[in-house]
Amino acid sequence: MSSAALKEIKPIKIPDEIPYEEKQSCKKLLALYTSDTFDNNSWDVVLASSGKKGTLHFPNLNQYPLLEIEILKATILSMLSAGATLSTCSSRIHDSCFVFDYFENKGLSIAQLNQELFYNFYNYLGIIKLENWHRNRYLQTLQALAETGERLGVLNILSIVPVGRRFKNSASPKRAPEVQVIAQVDSLFFNLSNDIPLGYRVMYFTLRLRTHRISEVIAMSLDCISYPEENVFAISVPTAKETAYHVPVFHQYSFLADGVCESIYYKLLIQQHDYALSMQGQLKPQYQGYLFVHPKLQRIITTNDFNSYLVKLCADNNVVDSDGNAAKITSHDLRHINVCERLQGNVISATETMVECNHSSMDQTLGYGYPSKKDEAKHLAKITKQIPLFGEQKEVQCLQVPSFKYDRLLDEPTTRMIPGYGICCNQTCKPQFEKCLACESFLPDPAYRDYFSAAIDLLLKRNQRIVQKHGDNTIVQHNEELIRLYQVCIKTIDSESIHRS
């Protein structure tokens, strides 16, 4: 909005604080969560349903007008009563300060919010360097503050403000790190002679072997290890996003105690357990009972601790991508690479992966399964027609098609990779795995013939066990349909091979 438009905003009488009756209601609601007063700059909050405790810090009066701070506090109380976590509330406070700073720079108050000012804020977010999801967080924060202001009676023009407006997310999916990058980091953590703190190493193993969020791993309890049967150990991990009314379900994940990778993980897990147990008497109550106690500080490891260590480790050990550029990974990248490996391996179904990841939809899980552009280019190079060269040698040699020839193809909107299965060139559809196999536009990948064959054997054995135990016949029928589709893929691959010969 131009400076002239700003001058057109009619001066209105702005109250100094929220109405007395509304403030009294806020105080009564606040008493359910803390003994602190409504005017305090910080609240020590206890969520009775989940037993979680934490402190919410609000800005001081010398930073923003009292009215804006009270609107923010009323907004946080509404969020707590709706079941929001302390972490979510803390993020909303942080985002609100961004909104308040914008109003202060314009010499305005949030009570003056109107359509023109909203569009000005929207356009400002579009100019500054932010991801769309971050921009939308600030818009959602402004919406929450505006709705609270209207409810409290200090904002009366909400009906003309398009608060539902959002920035559209980019169409290109987030991709997993390059295989070359993750292999280098794996080699650092799996080499026990490297000087890596025990807690960070165990956390990396836990994230690498399963599809957990970093927050779920941090929340693993001290008694997470169990022994359900001989030669098997299990770890229990909270696998649901926590709210004030829902304590996460703890899922058990089993590992063979004598597996190559698992045996290393088990040994380190026990050492971390013993260390965390020895530290319990020195920890504050809020840090007691957790597995991942910090290796140097008397608290648990945080997301920032672990990600900062990953960045430093990559820098110190010259981890590079396929172009030779310095590379780094985050804890969330490990979640992407795990999902990608599962979908490519075709051993665990996409539906099972969705359930384990606690995703809200299959689209979200499939969006995690995109490998890096470089890895996709190599994949395309392998599955295209190879040109045989007949030389003096009796064996037939094939040209290795350079992957850079397919980089451009990957940028075409009609090219969609189906990880682990093949390639689809139908612009109007999304990868749907089992459905893709029955699609006329689907071309099975010859390089994955062995995977299709192995999957058939696995499903046949599963069906035999289900029939013997008089299990669910619908699962048998579903597996039989998959077997039929896999057999069609093998038949297509073999017929193509005969045709080329």
Side-chain angles (χ1 to χ4, degrees), residues 185-191 196 200-201 204-205 309-310 313:
V185 181
D186 276 350
S187 66
L188 294 172
F189 278 94
F190 280 75
N191 185 351
I196 296 177
Y200 292 140
R201 197 189 293 268
Y204 184 86
F205 270 70
Y309 183 79
L310 286 179
L313 189 72

Side-chain angles (χ1 to χ4, degrees), residues 452-464:
F452 290 124
S453 178
I456 291 173
D457 294 339
L458 178 65
L459 291 173
L460 287 173
K461 292 177 182 177
R462 284 181 179 176
N463 280 354
Q464 289 176 359

Side-chain angles (χ1 to χ4, degrees), residues 58-71:
F58 295 94
N60 298 319
L61 285 176
N62 60 352
Q63 291 179 267
Y64 308 108
L66 174 61
L67 176 65
E68 294 183 350
I69 296 176
E70 289 188 343
I71 290 176

